[in-house]
Amino acid sequence: MTTQISQMSASALVRAYERRELSPVEVVYATYDRIDSVNPKINAIYHQDREGALSAARDSEQRWLSQTPLGLLDGVPTTIKDALATTGMPSYRGSAAGHGEVATTDHPTVARMRQAGALIVGKNTMCDYGILAAGISSRHGITRNPWDLSCTTGASSSGAAASVAAGVEPLSVGTDIVGSIRLPASFCGLAGLKPSQGRVPYYKCNSPALTAGPLARSFADLALHMNVLTGPDGRDFTALAQDNTDYTRCLHKANLHAARVLVVTELGLGAPVQREVETAVLDVADVLSQLGATIDFCEAPPFDRNDWQPAEAFYKVRTLSELSEHADSEARKSTVIWDWTRDALTFSAVDHQRNFDLTQRLRERAHALIRGYDFLILPSTPQTAFGAELAGANPERIFESWANTFLFNLSEQPCSNIPVGLDDRGLPIGVQVVGKRFHDQSVLSLSWQVEQVVGQMPPAPI
């Protein structure tokens, strides 16, 4: 029963509750059985609330028996990322610096999940300060990929991606400031969406590039999750107004016969693209062509390897500011971040402003890429998952791992990761779809249509 439940989608769980084929109480027990089975191997969940989740499951069971579900995810189990405040649960932002704090209010996304009836079974791991591309944390240790325990999950939504891929939960909320939804989704074989800025409310937000969005095993569940997460929150003045979009219904609506797609196999910013990843991008382009889209190819990489350097310097200062809230004796415990941010101490205010200005030029160039097109198609990551113990694909240049994703945080465009198969090592490959700003439903619809052709990923072999 536990194995069967672990592979069920959120939509399937809700249907089973409606038909009284399953109870949320049964599902919570199965969820904790699954945690007991896989978490010692993947280290995705650092805090559990068994009593609270079981109590919430009993309440959910009664609502389903009386046919009065609280919301779209009533009785669906989930875990919450370390970065997101969750009442009564500790948060560390992945760092051993400091002692964390127990939240007294919920992050907007957590509040939405509770309002929808989701069962919060615990908190999941993240890397230090959400800025590493690997599932390593000075607080939580190493989070490992369910497809291959010797490999990284990607980050910063490392625990969220690992737990969904391992069948602990059907969906989870990720956060993304430079690629922290798309990178782990790519490495762990998941559907992921970084929404347009403001689509999902966020508080407290310390960067205009930061947003939250869904991770799931299918785009149908991703769309269902978006129906829960979107809409304004009084704490976030940047949140977009509720437009009453039903993302589930929109999956079927995109007319690809009118779509123009630019394929960028090599963005030019980071490591060279792995052959199997490039092939996967071209295969998706072929699928879109068969679905009626007009396909063009970018003839040369639009960026070069030095373009990411001002962005790295800018984010170093942001991270240094947060790390510096602690005494040096505490801050040094966040070893990788401590080392990475040392040269930022030499930056002047003028240097920081110039780096910010350069990131804004990158933002403009990212926007310009899609001019004349409806979508961009490119690798989510140039290569598949690297070693679990490494801080980046190139440990000497750890920010390079964000090469294919961070631009579209700057430009605030919606982006998805489509899992499209496995490389020769049996590791997932992800293809990134980038849409026009605020065209989230179009990105989801195109991604879903590709998924219908290439098929969903099989369960991870953990």
Side-chain angles (χ1 to χ4, degrees), residues 95 128 138 323 331-341:
S95 175
D128 294 58
S138 60
L323 188 65
R332 286 178 181 273
K333 295 177 182 177
S334 191
T335 308
V336 176
I337 295 296
W338 173 272
D339 292 342
W340 181 62
T341 56

Side-chain angles (χ1 to χ4, degrees), residues 285-304:
D286 186 56
V287 168
L288 293 174
S289 178
Q290 293 175 36
L291 292 172
T294 299
I295 306 296
D296 289 332
F297 293 88
C298 192
E299 294 183 359
F303 296 89
D304 65 55

Side-chain angles (χ1 to χ4, degrees), residues 2 391 448 459:
T2 296
W448 177 82

